[in-house]
Amino acid sequence: QQSTFSPLRERLRELRRNGTPEIVFGGVVLAVVGIDYYLQQRNDQQRSKMIRQFEEEVKQDEEVSRKEERELINNNGGAAMKPKFQCVVRVVPQQFDGHKCLTNLKVGDVVNVLQEGVGPDNKYNLCSIERLADSSTEAGEKHNISVGWFPCSCLEKMEQTASNKYTSTAKSG
């Protein structure tokens, strides 16, 4: 039995001496690194493709929202823009920047509520605010109207007095 294993042992010693195990190990490591690099590149390409698709969908959704906003403003000479009531902004959420959101508001701004209970869980109001036009708009336009959702919980309703002035319903004290 010893004689049958002797040639095998001699062959293994010879392979160890000439560096064959190290060459095989190095080849395996290179193959693993190459496969990993290929898979990383493929993942990066897929991720980039998904991000481009997502950005394209967001862009299309923003275009639809802007079109709906323009239609709302221009519909029946602005008849759809008649406010139900006015509210004072009491809190501006920190993370509130979606394309349907009414942004760039400050605490104390007065907004017109056009529609109540819109958006997810009906927790938003469709609001508008009239702003002074900047120098980039046409000379005939003195005001810009911004329309968007704003959280109901961040607004305080104002009551209309007999002189058609709105006053805050908050009680101090």
Side-chain angles (χ1 to χ4, degrees):
Q1 210 173 15
Q2 189 110 15
S3 61
T4 57
F5 288 116
S6 285
L8 184 60
R9 283 187 183 168
E10 284 299 318
R11 179 135 170 88
L12 287 175
R13 279 189 197 132
E14 180 63 29
L15 289 175
R16 262 189 260 145
R17 222 173 318 145
N18 68 12
T20 301
E22 290 83 2
I23 292 171
V24 170
F25 181 73
V28 169
V29 168
L30 283 175
V32 168
V33 168
I35 291 169
D36 183 58
Y37 178 76
Y38 167 76
L39 293 175
Q40 286 291 336
Q41 291 298 317
R42 193 175 75 179
N43 285 344
D44 290 346
Q45 289 172 352
Q46 288 174 340
R47 188 177 299 119
S48 296
K49 183 179 176 183
M50 285 175 34
I51 288 172
R52 279 193 305 275
Q53 286 176 342
F54 180 70
E55 288 173 344
E56 191 64 35
E57 289 175 9
V58 167
K59 184 178 175 184
Q60 289 173 353
D61 198 28
E62 286 175 343
E63 289 173 6
V64 168
S65 293
R66 281 194 295 273
K67 181 180 176 186
E68 289 172 353
E69 185 177 317
R70 280 193 301 275
E71 288 174 359
L72 180 67
I73 292 171
N74 296 330
N75 188 19
N76 299 328
M81 294 286 293
K82 298 293 183 215
K84 292 183 174 188
F85 54 89
Q86 288 187 317
C87 287
V88 176
V89 175
R90 290 297 174 205
V91 177
V92 178
Q94 288 183 345
Q95 298 294 325
F96 191 66
D97 59 356
H99 62 275
K100 289 189 176 191
C101 301
L102 187 58
T103 57
N104 298 325
L105 293 178
K106 302 180 299 273
V107 172
D109 284 348
V110 176
V111 296
N112 298 315
V113 176
L114 307 174
Q115 186 178 352
E116 294 180 273
V118 297
D121 298 327
N122 298 326
K123 292 184 177 183
Y124 299 87
N125 287 337
L126 179 63
C127 301
S128 69
I129 187 168
E130 194 169 336
R131 304 172 197 258
L132 293 175
D134 59 10
S135 59
S136 65
T137 57
E138 296 177 20
E141 293 184 37
K142 294 181 181 170
H143 298 278
N144 285 337
I145 297 175
S146 297
V147 177
W149 295 352
F150 203 79
C152 300
S153 61
C154 298
L155 297 172
E156 181 182 315
K157 190 173 182 178
M158 300 174 74
E159 289 186 12
Q160 190 172 10
T161 62
S163 62
N164 283 340
K165 299 276 187 191
Y166 285 94
T167 58
S168 176
T169 59
K171 304 208 181 346
S172 56

